[in-house]
Amino acid sequence: MALDMIIGAQWGDEGKGSITDMLAAQADIVARYGGGDNAGHTITVGGEIYKLHLIPSGIIQPNTVCLIGNGVVINPATLLREMKALAERGLDVGAHRFKISRNAHLITPGHIALDKAKEASRGEDAIGTTLRGIGPAYTDKTSRTGLRAELFDAPEELADKIHEHIHAKNEILTKIYGAEPLDATAVAAQFADYGQRLQPHLVDGSLLLDAALRDDRTVLAEGAQGTFLDLDHGTYPFVTSSPPTAGGVLLGLGVGPNKVGRVIGVAKAFSSRVGSGPFPCELEGEAAVRLRGTGDKPWDEFGTTTGRPRRVGWLDLVMLRHAVRINGFTELVITKLDILSGIAKLPVCVAYDWQGKRSEHYPTDIRVLAQCKPIYEVLDGWDEDIMGVRKLDDLPANARRYVAFISAQTDTAVTHISVGPGREQMITRSQ
Ligand code: IMP
């Protein structure tokens, strides 16, 4: 069997959790390959709402094995809190089914303090990070000074490394940012405790997945963030510090490209982003509130991790074509189509106008992107409530046209359409 991937096609928050949950029902292993607790997945099952940041959504399924891959950066405090909350709700998070790659990196209070200090010092140019220490943890990884989860196997070495690490961070915090230093001994004691509790979960993630794939079992790679937050292919520097794109799956799990099956891109029926950076199709005022919601429903456009209102706008097909190319999507899932019900006219961006010239391609330079104006094609909307629809043919004709338009413009089949937050509110197209 193959490694199937679920990848965010926009700026994250595409509603990947529910499609992951649906496909996890048929998967033997669900694995996270990148990011950290900056991610937030909301899954609704039978009226129960689960908000997950680090543990793969497959944990909601009774028999699925879940893996945090080597490409992830783990805040052990968040992870243990999440494990406890799930266990209290009767879910099994034991070491036989919840595993952590030994070579995943750890996030410490030093990374978090540095993320906060750096963002504060950027002032108006702040990236709008989630302040979870993600950037500093990946910086340590690439500068070869990171702390890997495998240190949980060696408590003494862990204590030494934490002391060294916190002292190094304190130098920067106090001397460059004028921030308070951290107590290295207290952090080392915390990490000794985390280590004891998480050590039984450690595995060689690549070996685990290889054995499963050789054994004809299915592995699902669960995306976090999205293509436009990719360090290389997103709106740099307003990106995260890891590759959420398809290439990142292979790196972040230790699996070769010959094992890949489906590459499933997930896109919302409109656009949203949190944090700073150019956003050509962004809407303001009432039109934005119409797409965002007011925050009274859990699926309104407010960050799962930060609670921040998301910036919203019309669907951008220039972006989506870029995402199809970068990731090699074999299919698309369109989420939240129900949110568009009742909007009479639906503008969809098909190209950009840059200095009077039409461009079909997403620019790599955000200074150019910031000057791009969307060229819209306006489609007719529909009035009907579609949240109860379960078959493509039962969608209003204009809703079907909207989906067909996306498919034609991206040259990619749309295989699933979500019409609400519930697990059952997913239309699966027969192909
Ligand atoms: P960081 O990943 O916390 O460093 O944040 C960098 C940028 O990525 C910020 O604009 C964040 O808002 C954004 N970001 C990170 N994770 C997510 C996510 O899961 N969904 C949406 N945006 C995210």
Side-chain angles (χ1 to χ4, degrees):
M1 295 293 251
L3 167 73
D4 294 331
M5 310 176 174
I6 295 181
I7 312 268
Q10 295 156 317
W11 277 295
D13 307 316
E14 297 92 352
K16 297 180 288 293
S18 48
I19 180 76
T20 309
D21 184 44
M22 191 181 131
L23 297 182
Q26 298 131 40
D28 298 291
I29 303 184
V30 179
R32 269 282 302 269
Y33 61 89
D37 60 342
N38 48 351
H41 294 161
T42 307
I43 303 161
T44 311
V45 185
E48 289 269 320
I49 296 170
Y50 297 90
K51 287 187 187 259
L52 300 172
H53 298 286
L54 265 172
I55 301 185
S57 331
I59 207 79
I60 313 291
Q61 305 290 339
N63 300 314
T64 314
V65 169
C66 288
L67 171 73
I68 291 190
N70 58 275
V72 176
V73 283
I74 302 169
N75 178 340
T78 318
L79 180 57
L80 285 160
R81 251 198 318 275
E82 203 160 278
M83 288 165 71
K84 183 165 177 273
L86 290 173
E88 281 169 2
R89 292 172 76 175
L91 292 170
D92 181 0
V93 288
H96 65 285
R97 72 168 302 219
F98 172 50
K99 299 174 188 292
I100 301 169
S101 291
R102 280 205 159 75
N103 47 352
H105 278 244
L106 299 175
I107 296 179
T108 70
H111 292 132
I112 297 168
L114 213 49
D115 198 1
K116 290 180 180 162
K118 279 188 172 177
E119 275 290 90
S121 78
R122 285 184 187 118
E124 294 235 313
D125 297 327
I127 293 168
T129 76
T130 59
L131 304 179
R132 301 289 163 122
I134 306 294
Y138 278 116
T139 303
D140 277 357
K141 176 176 174 173
T142 47
S143 66
R144 296 162 289 181
T145 53
L147 305 169
R148 307 213 296 191
E150 63 205 6
L151 283 171
F152 291 156
D153 280 331
E156 279 180 24
E157 198 184 337
L158 172 67
D160 289 347
K161 287 257 158 79
I162 290 280
H163 274 279
E164 210 177 290
H165 164 86
I166 295 295
H167 287 314
K169 294 294 172 266
N170 280 346
E171 286 285 293
I172 307 171
L173 285 168
T174 56
K175 294 192 178 146
I176 297 184
Y177 296 108
E180 288 296 309
L182 297 162
D183 179 345
T185 307
V187 177
Q190 268 176 349
F191 272 68
D193 174 53
Y194 299 152
Q196 264 186 1
R197 293 197 271 160
L198 293 174
Q199 192 278 337
H201 297 263
L202 298 184
V203 292
D204 180 328
S206 172
L207 272 182
L208 174 90
L209 298 180
D210 187 60
L213 290 165
R214 282 173 193 276
D215 210 19
D216 231 14
R217 284 180 283 151
T218 317
V219 178
L220 186 66
E222 170 175 336
Q225 290 86 43
T227 301
F228 292 84
L229 293 174
D230 186 277
L231 196 51
D232 281 85
H233 300 291
T235 45
Y236 190 89
F238 300 101
V239 291
T240 192
S241 298
S242 65
T245 41
V249 177
L250 305 180
L251 269 179
L253 292 179
V255 176
N258 57 335
K259 299 290 195 300
V260 177
R262 297 162 73 185
V263 184
I264 304 163
V266 185
K268 230 178 254 186
F270 51 97
S271 307
S272 76
R273 85 171 296 180
V274 281
S276 320
F279 182 171
C281 295
E282 183 166 16
L283 291 170
E284 310 262 331
E286 269 182 39
V289 175
R290 174 64 187 74
L291 291 180
R292 181 187 301 125
T294 48
D296 54 334
K297 296 187 286 305
W299 54 88
D300 282 351
E301 296 294 337
F302 289 76
T304 314
T305 301
T306 58
R308 292 179 289 184
R310 294 182 189 138
R311 300 161 65 196
V312 291
W314 299 120
L315 181 64
D316 187 335
L317 291 172
V318 182
M319 283 178 68
L320 213 47
R321 288 194 295 263
H322 177 85
V324 168
R325 173 165 44 82
I326 295 293
N327 295 290
F329 292 146
T330 57
E331 60 194 278
L332 276 172
V333 174
I334 301 299
T335 63
K336 290 197 154 190
L337 190 65
D338 54 298
I339 300 296
L340 301 184
S341 297
I343 302 177
K345 295 287 175 193
L346 296 169
V348 177
C349 173
V350 292
Y352 293 150
D353 177 319
W354 182 62
Q355 297 185 337
K357 290 195 285 279
R358 184 183 168 106
S359 171
E360 312 284 331
H361 301 297
Y362 201 78
T364 53
D365 184 336
I366 61 157
R367 289 166 301 189
V368 174
L369 183 65
Q371 295 167 352
C372 283
K373 305 261 176 303
I375 298 175
Y376 287 119
E377 218 164 285
V378 180
L379 307 189
D380 288 327
W382 58 94
D383 263 336
E384 297 88 332
D385 176 359
I386 58 172
M387 293 180 84
V389 174
R390 298 292 173 266
K391 284 200 240 124
L392 186 72
D393 287 348
D394 294 340
L395 279 177
N398 285 344
R400 273 182 281 141
R401 270 185 213 117
Y402 191 83
V403 173
F405 189 76
I406 297 172
S407 186
Q409 283 273 325
T410 55
D411 197 18
T412 309
V414 174
T415 54
H416 299 80
I417 302 156
S418 91
V419 290
R423 186 188 253 185
E424 69 294 346
Q425 289 174 297
M426 186 72 83
I427 298 172
T428 301
R429 272 184 69 163
S430 40
Q431 295 179 63

